[in-house]
Every structure is written in C-alpha cells, then in structure tokens.
Amino acid sequence: MKNIVVFASGSGSNFQSIINAVSNGKLTANIVGLITNNKSAFALERAQKHGIPTFIISPDQFNSESEYSKTVLSKLEEWNADLLILAGYLKKIPVEIIQSFDNRILNIHPSLLPKYGGKGFYGSKVHEAVIRNKDSQSGCTVHVVTAEYDEGPVIGQSTVQVTDSDTATSLAEKVLEREHILLPETIQKYLTTLKNY
Ligand code: GRF
C-alpha cells in the first residue's frame, strides 16, 4: 500500500475526507503524516484524533528555500512518503521538492482549472470572481503539481451549477462538498497509475 502525506494550512476538511475514505475502504492507502505551516490549523486536531503524525514547518523559519526543502524532504523520507496531497495548503512548494516527487504531488483547487487558477486565485477570491463574472458553472479540480502554479495536468474535475441566488459563500460550500468526493476518488484512481515509479 502506498504512503500518503497530506499538506494542509487550515480547517483540513479535505484532509478529513481522505481520512474517512481510508477508514471506509474507498481509498487503499496509508496516511503517514500531516504537514502544516500553521500551528493553529484545525487539521492538526483532526490528525491527532486519528493518531496521524504531524510536522509543523514554515518556510519563514529558514534562511534559504533550500534549507527548508531539505528539512521537509528528510521528514518525507522518514515517513516513507510515496504521494503528497496538497489539500488547502497555502505555501508554495519549492522546486526541489517538486523534482524529488516528480508526478507524485497532487493539489485540489476550488475552480474548474484552467479558469481562476494561478497567483491570487485562492479560497474566497476564486468564488468571488466566479460570481462577479456571472459564470453559470464552477467546480473543483485535482491536478498534478508542477513548477508552474496551478498548471499541472488535470486528473479530476467536478462541476456545480451556479444559480442567480448564489453568493461567494454559498458557492464555496457547494464546491467544498464536491471536493470531499472528488479528492479521495481521484487519489484512488491516481494510485493505480503509480505502480512503477
Ligand atoms: C479548499 O477549497 C481547497 O480547494 C483549497 O483550500 C480549501 C481548503 O479547505 N485549496 P479545507 O482546509 O480542506 O477545509
């Protein structure tokens, strides 16, 4: 079974969806650790509740990106990580880590990429832009992480309808519900392609 490490900065409801999918057998993997940059992240409580090891680390603690990368990589090695999942992780992943985990980092983004991706499009900013532009559809995307922000190959997408009465808040809720289904499903599918790395 492959070992998954989740990166999360906040509530960690997507992290929870991965925990749940492993518990109910829909996802066949081990969750070997949670990495967060935020010591107050609720994701930490979720990890503790399920006996998942945690590591709190922020690039701001380091003088160079390379020192930061090395520290993260040595933790990933200790945990024997096969696949990294960015689930609401707000810090940039250094190229050194992306290269070490080539094609083995996935990210979930709350829009139908390539729409509303890239710098500045995170969290509520995405949903506000969708409402402002009167789009009739939005959704979420799981993609492979490459050095280009939000630009790696798309491996899963789920669409929701945007109604006239939707606000950025109601849309965020609708999309998040879909994320919780899409993320574990896509991880499970992707793991089957990882056999021979
Ligand atoms: C999600 O909308 C995810 O797509 C985005 O950040 C949010 C994280 O929510 N990248 P949570 O921490 O998983 O509840």
Side-chain angles (χ1 to χ4, degrees), residues 8 10-15 46 87-89 107-110 123 127 176 179-180:
S11 152
S13 67
N14 277 292
F15 172 44
R46 299 182 194 268
Y89 187 64
N107 179 47
I108 181 136
H109 186 80
H127 307 298
L176 193 61
E179 291 180 44
H180 297 158

Short mmCIF file of all heavy atoms in Angstrom, two decimals, residues 8 10-15 46 87-89 107-110 123 127 176 179-180, ligand 1:
data_model
loop_
_atom_site.label_atom_id
_atom_site.label_comp_id
_atom_site.label_asym_id
_atom_site.label_seq_id
_atom_site.Cartn_x
_atom_site.Cartn_y
_atom_site.Cartn_z
N ALA A 8 -1.74 20.65 4.71
CA ALA A 8 -2.94 21.48 4.88
C ALA A 8 -2.60 22.67 5.78
O ALA A 8 -1.82 22.52 6.72
CB ALA A 8 -4.06 20.66 5.50
N GLY A 10 -5.25 24.89 6.96
CA GLY A 10 -6.40 25.44 7.69
C GLY A 10 -7.28 24.37 8.30
O GLY A 10 -6.82 23.48 9.01
N SER A 11 -8.56 24.46 7.96
CA SER A 11 -9.56 23.59 8.56
C SER A 11 -9.27 22.11 8.31
O SER A 11 -9.46 21.26 9.17
CB SER A 11 -10.93 23.97 8.00
OG SER A 11 -11.77 22.86 8.02
N GLY A 12 -8.84 21.81 7.11
CA GLY A 12 -8.50 20.42 6.80
C GLY A 12 -9.70 19.53 6.54
O GLY A 12 -9.64 18.32 6.77
N SER A 13 -10.80 20.13 6.03
CA SER A 13 -11.95 19.27 5.75
C SER A 13 -11.64 18.31 4.60
O SER A 13 -12.15 17.19 4.56
CB SER A 13 -13.22 20.08 5.48
OG SER A 13 -13.10 20.81 4.29
N ASN A 14 -10.79 18.72 3.67
CA ASN A 14 -10.38 17.79 2.61
C ASN A 14 -9.48 16.68 3.17
O ASN A 14 -9.57 15.54 2.74
CB ASN A 14 -9.64 18.54 1.49
CG ASN A 14 -10.62 19.17 0.52
OD1 ASN A 14 -11.31 18.47 -0.21
ND2 ASN A 14 -10.68 20.49 0.52
N PHE A 15 -8.65 17.04 4.10
CA PHE A 15 -7.82 16.04 4.81
C PHE A 15 -8.75 15.02 5.47
O PHE A 15 -8.55 13.81 5.37
CB PHE A 15 -6.95 16.79 5.83
CG PHE A 15 -6.17 15.95 6.79
CD1 PHE A 15 -5.47 14.83 6.37
CD2 PHE A 15 -6.11 16.31 8.14
CE1 PHE A 15 -4.73 14.06 7.28
CE2 PHE A 15 -5.37 15.57 9.04
CZ PHE A 15 -4.69 14.44 8.61
N ARG A 46 -7.51 17.21 13.77
CA ARG A 46 -8.03 16.03 13.06
C ARG A 46 -6.97 14.93 13.03
O ARG A 46 -7.27 13.75 13.23
CB ARG A 46 -8.42 16.40 11.63
CG ARG A 46 -9.51 17.46 11.52
CD ARG A 46 -9.81 17.70 10.05
NE ARG A 46 -10.59 18.89 9.78
CZ ARG A 46 -11.92 18.94 9.70
NH1 ARG A 46 -12.63 17.84 9.89
NH2 ARG A 46 -12.54 20.08 9.43
N ALA A 87 -3.89 19.82 0.26
CA ALA A 87 -5.33 19.96 0.49
C ALA A 87 -5.54 21.25 1.28
O ALA A 87 -5.57 21.23 2.50
CB ALA A 87 -5.84 18.75 1.27
N GLY A 88 -5.61 22.37 0.56
CA GLY A 88 -5.74 23.65 1.23
C GLY A 88 -4.42 24.05 1.86
O GLY A 88 -4.38 24.53 3.00
N TYR A 89 -3.33 23.86 1.12
CA TYR A 89 -2.01 24.24 1.62
C TYR A 89 -1.61 25.55 0.98
O TYR A 89 -1.56 25.67 -0.24
CB TYR A 89 -0.99 23.14 1.29
CG TYR A 89 0.36 23.38 1.93
CD1 TYR A 89 0.49 23.38 3.31
CD2 TYR A 89 1.48 23.62 1.15
CE1 TYR A 89 1.72 23.61 3.90
CE2 TYR A 89 2.72 23.84 1.74
CZ TYR A 89 2.82 23.84 3.12
OH TYR A 89 4.04 24.07 3.72
N ASN A 107 -2.76 18.40 -6.12
CA ASN A 107 -3.35 19.57 -5.45
C ASN A 107 -4.83 19.63 -5.78
O ASN A 107 -5.23 19.31 -6.89
CB ASN A 107 -2.66 20.84 -5.96
CG ASN A 107 -3.22 22.11 -5.32
OD1 ASN A 107 -3.40 22.17 -4.10
ND2 ASN A 107 -3.50 23.12 -6.13
N ILE A 108 -5.62 20.08 -4.81
CA ILE A 108 -7.04 20.35 -5.11
C ILE A 108 -7.25 21.85 -5.14
O ILE A 108 -6.77 22.59 -4.27
CB ILE A 108 -7.99 19.64 -4.12
CG1 ILE A 108 -9.45 19.95 -4.51
CG2 ILE A 108 -7.74 20.00 -2.66
CD1 ILE A 108 -10.36 18.78 -4.48
N HIS A 109 -7.97 22.30 -6.18
CA HIS A 109 -8.20 23.73 -6.37
C HIS A 109 -9.71 23.95 -6.56
O HIS A 109 -10.35 23.20 -7.30
CB HIS A 109 -7.42 24.20 -7.61
CG HIS A 109 -7.48 25.68 -7.81
ND1 HIS A 109 -6.69 26.56 -7.10
CD2 HIS A 109 -8.27 26.43 -8.61
CE1 HIS A 109 -6.98 27.80 -7.46
NE2 HIS A 109 -7.93 27.74 -8.38
N PRO A 110 -10.26 25.00 -5.92
CA PRO A 110 -11.71 25.16 -5.95
C PRO A 110 -12.25 25.90 -7.19
O PRO A 110 -13.08 26.80 -7.06
CB PRO A 110 -12.01 25.94 -4.66
CG PRO A 110 -10.78 26.74 -4.44
CD PRO A 110 -9.62 25.96 -5.00
N GLY A 123 -8.92 30.32 -2.21
CA GLY A 123 -10.04 30.47 -1.28
C GLY A 123 -11.18 31.29 -1.85
O GLY A 123 -11.58 31.10 -3.01
N HIS A 127 -14.18 32.14 -5.72
CA HIS A 127 -15.64 32.13 -5.77
C HIS A 127 -16.19 33.54 -6.02
O HIS A 127 -17.18 33.71 -6.74
CB HIS A 127 -16.21 31.53 -4.49
CG HIS A 127 -15.63 30.18 -4.19
ND1 HIS A 127 -15.79 29.10 -5.03
CD2 HIS A 127 -14.83 29.73 -3.17
CE1 HIS A 127 -15.14 28.06 -4.55
NE2 HIS A 127 -14.55 28.42 -3.42
N LEU A 176 -17.02 22.91 -1.99
CA LEU A 176 -16.28 22.14 -0.98
C LEU A 176 -16.88 20.74 -0.81
O LEU A 176 -16.16 19.75 -0.68
CB LEU A 176 -16.27 22.89 0.36
CG LEU A 176 -15.30 22.37 1.42
CD1 LEU A 176 -13.85 22.43 0.95
CD2 LEU A 176 -15.43 23.17 2.72
N GLU A 179 -15.54 18.75 -3.47
CA GLU A 179 -14.12 18.46 -3.26
C GLU A 179 -13.96 17.20 -2.41
O GLU A 179 -13.09 16.37 -2.68
CB GLU A 179 -13.44 19.64 -2.55
CG GLU A 179 -13.32 20.87 -3.40
CD GLU A 179 -12.63 22.02 -2.67
OE1 GLU A 179 -11.62 21.77 -2.01
OE2 GLU A 179 -13.11 23.16 -2.76
N HIS A 180 -14.83 17.09 -1.40
CA HIS A 180 -14.71 15.97 -0.47
C HIS A 180 -14.97 14.63 -1.15
O HIS A 180 -14.53 13.58 -0.66
CB HIS A 180 -15.68 16.16 0.71
CG HIS A 180 -15.36 17.38 1.52
ND1 HIS A 180 -16.27 18.01 2.32
CD2 HIS A 180 -14.20 18.09 1.62
CE1 HIS A 180 -15.69 19.06 2.90
NE2 HIS A 180 -14.45 19.12 2.49
C1 GRF B 1 -10.44 24.07 -0.39
O1 GRF B 1 -11.42 24.83 -1.03
C2 GRF B 1 -9.36 23.71 -1.36
O2 GRF B 1 -9.80 23.54 -2.67
C3 GRF B 1 -8.48 24.93 -1.31
O3 GRF B 1 -8.50 25.31 0.05
C4 GRF B 1 -9.72 24.87 0.66
C5 GRF B 1 -9.30 24.06 1.84
O4 GRF B 1 -10.35 23.68 2.67
N1 GRF B 1 -7.20 24.67 -1.90
P1 GRF B 1 -10.09 22.65 3.83
O5 GRF B 1 -8.93 23.15 4.68
O6 GRF B 1 -9.78 21.32 3.22
O7 GRF B 1 -11.36 22.61 4.62
#
